[in-house]
Amino acid sequence: YTEMSNIVKVVLDATYLAATATMQMIPLDTSVSTMFMTNIGDARIGTIGTSVSWEHLVSDDLTIRSGARVDVSTRTVQDQSFRSVLGGYYPGVDLDQIASAVSVNAAVYYTLAEGLQLWSVLARSERMPTHLEMYGFWLYDPQANIVTIGRPDLANEHAWSIDVGTSYRTEDLRASISAWVRRIDNYIAPVPTQDTAASGQPPTRYMGSIGTADLTGFDASATIRVLPWWSMQASVRGIWGVGVTINDPLPLIAPVQVSIRAVVGERALQGEVALYASAAQNRISRSILPEDATASWARADVLLAWRPIPELRIQASCTNILDTFYHEHTSINNMPSRGRSFNLGVRAEL
């Protein structure tokens, strides 16, 4: 709905999830029988959501926006044997639930000068637990080498956040910088335990709330056209997080990362050189999800694209041209990133 200086939008959406996961364990010792386990026993989650947003143009320089979203979700597991097993772990907990979540936000956008804008957003949000967090049973996490068991009576996460930023745009330059702070209550994670078994088996953890967590981050980017045939792009971003209640850094958070990209040529023939770099990540979780530190690294890529005719694009590229050996901090089980690789592609536009 649009009327003069007001824009109102209403969106209704619905999702339905049916999830089943089973495991067949075949022992190397042939004298031991094959074992079966149900990890998710036919979980059914149906959700209906409604969001409303309002934008009001106060003046040529000032715009305010607000929004709200309400979600209602039915949650259950239908596999009767799985219900019995999960009920044994959580006696008296209702496996058939109706949950809801409400989120609201308000934003202000102000134009200081031509092309220069400031903005700020204040939000209060809720997140309902996922089916894995509620109904996952003996799920193995290779990143942390732990086994997790869900908890059907988990409460929603609640968060307050504030974002501030500025952007500047001219014909040849676009730049933006933003920062945000978020406090999350009832943060859902595998609850830390001390059960590091001498047998070498992965510790078993139950999903639950670890209390309050804080997150903060920033993002800056710029694109400039140096010459009609030459443009440069650069970005830098970083995130920090901590579990306040248990005094442990939040896991799986990448360190500060930088990218620089140069593009030369016209539409018919283009070349690109890109550099990606990451700081070391030594601020690691020791309790929530134990992880290893990762060293700093840098990687360079090159690309060449040719259009013999407007409808056809031929592209050749080399990723990690210096064949640098490095680890992304969020890689699974400390797997190294891929080495030097070559790609050739053809795309036709009909």
Side-chain angles (χ1 to χ4, degrees), residues 8-23:
V8 178
K9 294 181 180 179
V10 179
V11 178
L12 177 65
D13 57 73
T15 61
Y16 185 77
L17 170 71
T20 298
T22 59
M23 180 190 304

Side-chain angles (χ1 to χ4, degrees), residues 28 48 90 148 157 173 183 200 213 225 227 229 268 273 286 344:
L28 297 177
I48 296 178
Y90 300 103
T148 61
E157 288 184 348
L173 173 66
R183 165 150 287 199
R225 184 168 61 184
L227 295 170
W229 50 268
V273 177
R286 303 284 187 184
L344 178 65

